[in-house]
């Protein structure tokens, strides 16, 4: 089973940023409003994620690191309507099979916290451990037992950059959650929680004042689709595609077709050859989009891709064309 988990880890865990993603998504699924992310050496030496969410009862700690024991999917119908970010029940077992792993948690109604350690997939016993309400997951020495994978890790700064970029994308869609990031013992970023998404405060914290000052607010619905967020006016166009954030039903994803629609709308208004900057949220009925295409859920498949492309194109073309008048 350790081997099965390590093979699954090959799909789920590419680098420290993928571990951070899975663990932070678990924290959010548990209702956390504050998440502390402590990193050492770009996350390779240590990733520690502490949340103030609901916690895990002691008797369920072993299940959390057991493959598919917690899968929220009972049928194909469930698969179409999952609301939580995680649903396969394989992230923790996978991560625990390729690291020195510990899980410490306390629910509100428990007298004390409980800990479970896993080393390279070998699961220890549940022991008492002080902990405030919520959960801490520690992942040390990622890929220490899989040298072939460890070899592909990049320089500390590169791995840290991937983590920070993912957290920035998250911060944009969850302004209600406070995120504190430290690296090698020094506070490196803090996104203050409790902000109204459309006040634009989180926009300044994440993509900067200049983008925010040039941002056109978008909010348009038609045919059961809603597109909202911001696209920067052509005056703030970019040389590279570094500020393009797209979310489908709250998940950060990459989608060529939607990205093309945005770029085309932008290019058709003005500034050929430049890249638009945007933070856009597409909302649609979950049954119209398959999120189960990619193990790390970076990509989705739309049932009616053409319709969505045209909706995005028309919405943005109209908004941008107005700026020209
Ligand atoms: P899933 O696909 O369900 O997210 P994971 O392997 O990521 O699977 O996590 C396994 C289970 O462990 C989750 O379904 C959840 O019940 C529990 N869990 C993991 N992390 C947390 C957390 N931070 N707070 C509360 N429960 C957690
Ligand atoms: Mg998960």
């Amino acid at each position: 089973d350790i081997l099965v988990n390590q093979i699954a880890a090959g799909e789920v865990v590419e680098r420290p940023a993928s571990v951070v993603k899975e663990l932070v998504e678990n924290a959010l699924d548990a209702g956390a409003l504050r998440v502390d992310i402590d990193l050492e050496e770009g996350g390779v030496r240590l990733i520690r994620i502490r949340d103030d969410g609901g916690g895990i009862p002691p008797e369920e700690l072993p299940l959390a690191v057991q493959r598919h024991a917690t899968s929220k999917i009972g049928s194909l119908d469930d698969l179409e309507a999952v609301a939580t970010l995680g649903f396969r029940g394989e992230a923790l077992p996978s991560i625990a099979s390729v690291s020195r792993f510990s899980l410490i948690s306390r629910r509100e109604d428990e007298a004390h916290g409980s800990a479970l350690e896993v080393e390279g997939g070998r699961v220890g016993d549940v022991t008492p451990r002080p902990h405030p309400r919520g959960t801490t997951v520690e992942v040390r020495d990622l890929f220490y037992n899989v040298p072939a994978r460890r070899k592909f890790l990049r320089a500390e700064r590169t791995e840290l950059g991937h983590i920070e970029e993912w957290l920035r994308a998250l911060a944009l869609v969850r302004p209600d959650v406070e995120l504190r990031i430290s690296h090698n013992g020094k506070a490196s970023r803090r996104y203050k929680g409790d902000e109204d998404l459309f006040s634009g405060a989180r926009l300044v914290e994440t993509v900067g004042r200049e983008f925010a000052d040039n941002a056109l607010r978008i909010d348009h619905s038609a045919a059961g689709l809603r597109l909202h967020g911001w696209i920067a006016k052509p005056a703030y166009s970019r040389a590279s595609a570094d500020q393009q954030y797209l979310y489908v039903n709250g998940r950060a994803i990459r989608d060529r077709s939607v990205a093309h629609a945005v770029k085309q709308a932008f290019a058709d208004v003005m500034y050929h050859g430049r890249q638009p900057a945007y933070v856009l949220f597409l909302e649609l009925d979950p049954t119209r989009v398959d999120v189960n295409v990619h193990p790390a859920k970076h990509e989705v498949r739309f049932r009616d891709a053409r319709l969505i492309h045209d909706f995005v194109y028309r919405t943005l073309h109209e908004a941008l064309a107005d700026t020209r008048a």
Side-chain angles (χ1 to χ4, degrees), residues 26-27 29-30 51 55-56 64 70 72 86-93 135:
N26 283 346
D29 281 343
D51 70 60
I56 307 171
T70 58
K72 299 182 182 90
F87 52 80
R88 294 164 197 258
E90 60 182 24
L92 293 191
T135 302

Side-chain angles (χ1 to χ4, degrees), residues 25 85 170 173-174 247-253 281-283:
E25 287 187 347
L85 294 163
L170 174 72
V173 71
R174 291 300 306 268
Y247 302 81
V248 173
N249 291 346
R251 287 173 205 270
I253 62 131
F281 306 95
L282 180 66
E283 317 280 350

Side-chain angles (χ1 to χ4, degrees), residues 17 40 56 87 103-104 138 141 154 230 233 278 283 285:
E40 285 174 22
I56 307 171
F87 52 80
L103 179 59
I104 311 152
E138 272 187 16
D141 304 325
R154 296 287 163 246
W230 299 270
K233 292 176 196 159
Y278 55 85
E283 317 280 350
D285 190 288

Side-chain angles (χ1 to χ4, degrees), residues 29-48:
D29 281 343
L33 286 176
R34 174 170 165 185
V35 184
D36 288 15
I37 299 121
D38 299 319
L39 308 163
E40 285 174 22
E41 297 175 18
V44 177
R45 178 91 186 85
L46 172 72
I47 296 166
R48 182 193 299 116

